[in-house]
Amino acid sequence: MQENNAQYKSGFAAFIGRPNVGKSTLINRLVGEKISIISDKPQTTRNRIMCVLTRPDLQIVCLDTPGIHKPQHKLGEYMVKAADSALQEVDVAVFLVDASEKKGGGDEYIMKKLAAVKTPVILAINKVDKIPDKKALLPVIKSYTDEMDFAAVVPLSALNDDDFEGLIGEIAKHLPPGPQYFPPDMVTDQPERLVAAEMVREKVLLLTRDEVPHSVAVEVEEMKTRSNQDIYIRAVIYVERESQKGIIIGAKGAMLKEVGRLARADIEALLGNKTYLDLWVKVKEGWRDKASSLRQLGYD
């Protein structure tokens, strides 16, 4: 139930940045639930994912966007469009950068996109825990603020900070007065089967290397609650080549079993029910460059 507060604020914030700067980690920490998957592989997030932070005085609808990069295939084009469109629909943008890396061409490219919209932009400097001498942060911040007028600058560590009141406060400044868009107990608009598919994909990213992670997609074909309240999920892991299928299955099925074990633990934590996860691996050649395959897998 929304508080009877004339000053209640609600609105949308897009989190924008290069691949692997920590957008998903930050949003998961903000909403207090693991919704967006995380890995150290670039371009982990593929869809625009909506996560909701609700407090007695405000509701922030956070849009976790794919990392903006130069696309190499139709999937990459879809990901960049998803990030671009988010900027047109929000009250404020959070531009997340990595404090431990120098500003590069990717950051410059994103800043040009941000400058082209009227949306106020907060510069969030992530991974400050990697900078032992905080004075070293000043030239990092200056390299960005010299080129763009930001609404605020907030240093933070998405991984290690205990709270994010500074960032939440800055976002709130740009939210209009209004009612809650979503019930207070809702943390995402993503269907459970899509979140489950992403959790399986996250474990593949965690356990595989080289070209395999970017060639993987996961589709939940069936998800149902049994009479004993256990949940049955049948999911297919798609790869582009037969050799990749062998890697994911592993010797005597060991890799696939480990993917299932780890994913099941996360899914059970999210759903609160014992889960039976039935995993299959299939080859779908060149799916990242086929519009029909992208639509089938939910990238539309």
Side-chain angles (χ1 to χ4, degrees):
M1 180 71 90
Q2 180 183 321
E3 296 282 330
N4 184 17
N5 185 343
Q7 298 302 312
Y8 197 90
K9 288 185 168 188
S10 58
F12 293 77
F15 287 68
I16 302 290
R18 289 186 293 104
N20 211 29
V21 293
K23 298 183 296 296
S24 297
T25 300
L26 177 57
I27 291 178
N28 286 342
R29 294 292 306 280
L30 284 172
V31 302
E33 292 275 358
K34 182 176 180 179
I35 303 299
S36 296
I37 67 170
I38 301 165
S39 87
D40 59 359
K41 311 291 194 304
Q43 302 164 36
T44 296
T45 301
R46 290 175 174 170
N47 288 296
R48 186 180 63 181
I49 298 171
M50 193 175 73
C51 302
V52 186
L53 168 64
T54 302
R55 290 188 170 188
D57 59 339
L58 64 87
Q59 184 174 79
I60 303 173
V61 183
C62 305
L63 300 182
D64 186 8
T65 62
I68 295 178
H69 62 286
K70 185 176 180 180
Q72 305 294 326
H73 38 63
K74 288 187 184 297
L75 174 62
E77 292 172 6
Y78 163 84
M79 291 162 64
V80 172
K81 284 179 182 177
D84 284 350
S85 67
L87 289 175
Q88 313 298 326
E89 305 167 4
V90 297
D91 301 292
V92 59
V94 178
F95 176 33
L96 200 64
V97 302
D98 188 337
S100 65
E101 296 182 2
K102 290 184 178 180
K103 176 165 60 67
D107 298 303
E108 299 276 5
Y109 178 68
I110 295 170
M111 290 171 72
K112 288 180 181 178
K113 287 181 174 288
L114 293 171
V117 297
K118 296 180 180 179
T119 308
V121 180
I122 297 168
L123 176 65
I125 312 282
N126 190 26
K127 306 185 185 182
V128 295
D129 50 299
K130 293 187 175 182
I131 310 293
D133 181 5
K134 298 312 175 199
K135 291 181 180 178
L137 274 178
L138 297 177
V140 174
I141 293 172
K142 190 173 186 297
S143 69
Y144 289 95
T145 55
D146 280 352
E147 292 192 28
M148 188 169 173
D149 186 19
F150 293 99
V153 178
V154 182
L156 55 86
S157 170
L159 202 58
N160 295 324
D161 284 353
D162 293 325
D163 68 61
F164 301 92
E165 295 305 316
L167 178 60
I168 292 170
E170 292 297 339
I171 292 173
K173 290 178 183 178
H174 303 282
L175 302 184
Q180 292 179 358
Y181 288 98
F182 302 100
D185 59 347
M186 180 175 173
V187 293
T188 184
D189 68 332
Q190 300 297 296
E192 289 179 343
R193 63 169 49 212
L194 180 57
V195 177
E198 285 289 88
M199 288 181 172
V200 173
R201 186 167 69 89
E202 179 189 58
K203 303 316 174 189
V204 176
L205 295 179
L206 174 69
L207 297 172
T208 59
R209 297 190 305 242
D210 302 327
E211 83 285 359
V212 174
H214 297 304
S215 301
V216 167
V218 179
E219 180 184 24
V220 170
E221 293 187 330
E222 184 179 358
M223 184 172 183
K224 63 183 180 182
T225 303
R226 292 170 164 170
S227 57
N228 62 357
Q229 298 305 305
D230 288 356
I231 295 172
Y232 170 80
I233 299 173
R234 184 178 73 247
V236 178
I237 300 171
Y238 288 105
V239 292
E240 292 187 306
R241 292 195 294 276
E242 198 68 36
S243 60
Q244 295 166 344
K245 178 179 177 179
I247 291 171
I248 290 177
I249 293 174
K252 297 182 179 179
M255 176 71 80
L256 190 60
K257 286 179 183 176
E258 184 66 1
V259 168
R261 184 184 70 83
L262 295 173
R264 185 172 61 252
D266 277 0
I267 293 169
E268 288 180 342
L270 178 72
L271 302 180
N273 294 80
K274 186 176 180 180
T275 300
Y276 179 79
L277 188 56
D278 187 11
L279 294 181
W280 298 79
V281 185
K282 296 181 180 179
V283 177
K284 186 184 287 288
E285 291 186 8
W287 68 264
R288 286 181 293 174
D289 258 326
K290 294 178 180 175
S292 59
S293 295
L294 292 176
R295 283 194 297 271
Q296 176 196 336
L297 296 168
Y299 304 120
D300 192 5

